[in-house]
Amino acid sequence: MPSHLTDQRNNNSLPSAGTMWVRVSYEQALALAASLNGKGHYLLRAQERSIELTDAGRAAVGEFACGLPGLWRIPRAREELVEQGLSALHLFQLDRHYIIADDKVQIVDEYTGRVMADRSWERGLHQMIEVKEALAISKRRDTISRITYQRFFRRYLCLAGMSGTATEVAPEMRSVYAMDVLRIPPNRPIVRRDLGQRVFLDGDRRWAAVVQRAAEMCRAGRAVLIGTRSVAASELAGVHLGAAGLAHAVLNARQDQREAEIIADAGQPGRITVATNMAGRGTDILLSPEVRQAGGLHVILSEYHDSARVDRQLFGRAGRQGDPGSCEAIVALDDELFLAHAAALLGWLRARVSEAGLLPAPLARVLRQSAQAAAERQNSRVRRQTVEMDKRVEQSLAFAGRGE
């Protein structure tokens, strides 16, 4: 979905006496949404994070709304209400897209793994998720101004940045921001070893392999960083490690206040750290002399992200500034990336898994490359559409002054 910066203000016009009526409406919408059939009542576009009612779905909503008051009497309002209910049920998952902290729904940014403080979903979606999780409803916010990240950064007279993974998006940087990408050689030679990837038939085999590798590295006196894609996955990894008797620390949006303490200890001998992308870009894990002597930090990627750049940012935690280190990917065929972007291949690939539940290495490379290429094409297309929308807005408001 397009990324936006929004300036929001609380809408205090909602009378407190109406809060219960609003809650009842949301509860009715969620109940109706749960009863609808995905094969006939709505179209679910998981890749685009959108849901749309079909004609049969709109008819079912209209039948349900007969005799109900308020928004249920307005066709478009009730349809939007149910679509938000469908989104809350099918597109937004606890401990992945959001967490519950202090009895509040807090949005988690998948790319950074951090809670997005003071952010909320608009058009009643945030309140719908609060009702879904049986929480108190917060005051709905109205967006009074909006600007995309692309348009926001183009307003700077001077713009620059540094990234270890920018070269592959150089064409997009040029077309969107009119910025060239210049390659700077590393300060010290990179001695990080890439141990490749292993793709297992299912998640259970994957976690067993992750635990085994982490135990091996700990016995060798090294430190281990296990990267996960979501809060739920990080906690599941912790369960498997705990069952194997391996001491570990988990870093996700729930432990953001302990981040500095956990990262400070992550480079000690025998230390296992499980983290979401909070331990990705920009994080320096300082190694003890013993760990450096034993071979450095070993990074295990447990699930590929949509963007290969995010994976490389995680791998880049090892072998920094000339330190020794190694990395590998241990993933499963039932991971989200493969289900969303390579579903047509999965049946054929499952038939070619070895007796040990492992996909042959050449097929594993093809699977990852095709799935991530499809995901990155889609995300790039969304960003291009955002830029085109910006251009149309600028043209429609050309009388207001000169654009960027």
Side-chain angles (χ1 to χ4, degrees), residues 14 58 60 197 225 250 332 346 365:
L14 182 65
R58 285 188 282 271
Q197 61 182 354
L225 174 64
V250 177
L346 294 184
R365 285 193 295 270

Side-chain angles (χ1 to χ4, degrees), residues 14-303:
L14 182 65
S16 58
T19 302
M20 287 303 300
W21 177 87
V22 171
R23 187 178 191 91
V24 168
S25 296
Y26 284 163
E27 289 173 345
Q28 291 170 330
L30 282 170
L32 176 57
S35 70
L36 295 179
N37 186 342
K39 295 183 178 179
H41 289 135
Y42 58 87
L43 300 174
L44 172 61
R45 303 182 182 92
Q47 298 181 9
E48 301 175 9
R49 299 280 294 278
S50 67
I51 287 184
E52 180 182 358
L53 288 169
T54 63
D55 290 340
R58 285 188 282 271
V61 173
E63 181 179 352
F64 177 86
C66 286
L68 293 178
L71 293 176
W72 292 105
R73 296 180 178 179
I74 307 172
R76 183 60 203 131
R78 68 195 182 210
E79 289 166 10
E80 180 176 316
L81 191 64
V82 175
E83 287 176 346
Q84 295 289 47
L86 289 167
S87 296
L89 291 174
H90 301 295
L91 294 180
F92 294 87
Q93 301 172 13
L94 177 65
D95 291 340
R96 181 182 163 205
H97 302 107
Y98 62 93
I99 63 171
I100 296 176
D102 300 326
D103 292 328
K104 296 179 181 179
V105 170
Q106 298 190 358
I107 302 174
V108 176
D109 184 345
E110 181 180 342
Y111 288 95
T112 65
R114 302 180 185 280
V115 169
M116 301 172 70
D118 300 324
R119 299 286 184 92
S120 65
W121 288 295
E122 60 183 355
R123 296 169 55 194
L125 175 61
H126 201 91
Q127 288 70 31
M128 188 71 72
I129 292 177
E130 289 172 334
V131 172
K132 167 190 166 183
E133 300 294 345
L135 299 173
I137 298 181
S138 61
K139 293 181 179 179
R140 182 165 171 169
R141 294 183 174 186
D142 291 331
T143 300
I144 60 175
S145 63
R146 178 192 301 264
I147 187 170
T148 62
Y149 282 113
Q150 291 88 341
R151 188 177 179 89
F152 176 77
F153 286 116
R154 287 203 307 267
R155 300 182 73 89
Y156 279 87
L157 296 177
C158 297
L159 186 63
M162 294 184 67
S163 172
T165 57
T167 53
E168 58 261 48
V169 292
E172 189 170 346
M173 296 294 291
R174 181 63 184 172
S175 63
V176 175
Y177 301 108
M179 296 176 62
D180 292 322
V181 174
L182 174 67
R183 182 187 293 272
I184 301 174
N187 180 42
R188 297 179 181 176
I190 297 176
V191 295
R192 180 177 57 247
R193 294 182 298 124
D194 189 342
L195 305 185
Q197 61 182 354
R198 286 184 283 168
V199 179
F200 287 89
L201 179 64
D202 53 48
D204 289 339
R205 288 183 172 90
R206 179 255 314 281
W207 290 122
V210 168
V211 170
Q212 180 182 12
R213 178 69 84 183
E216 291 174 0
M217 293 296 171
C218 286
R219 286 195 295 268
R222 299 180 62 181
V224 179
L225 174 64
I226 301 173
T228 65
R229 187 166 174 168
S230 66
V231 172
S234 68
E235 294 176 345
L236 179 59
V239 169
H240 284 277
L241 290 167
L246 295 175
H248 61 279
V250 177
L251 175 61
N252 58 38
R254 297 191 205 281
Q255 292 86 26
D256 56 352
Q257 295 183 349
R258 295 185 55 233
E259 179 180 1
E261 175 187 344
I262 293 173
I263 292 299
D265 292 337
Q268 299 302 311
R271 174 71 64 171
I272 301 175
T273 305
V274 182
T276 59
N277 287 342
M278 288 181 66
R281 67 186 80 176
T283 300
D284 280 317
I285 296 177
L286 300 181
L287 305 182
S288 70
E290 297 84 359
V291 170
R292 189 177 291 106
Q293 183 66 29
L297 179 70
H298 182 67
V299 175
I300 301 174
L301 175 81
S302 65
E303 184 177 359

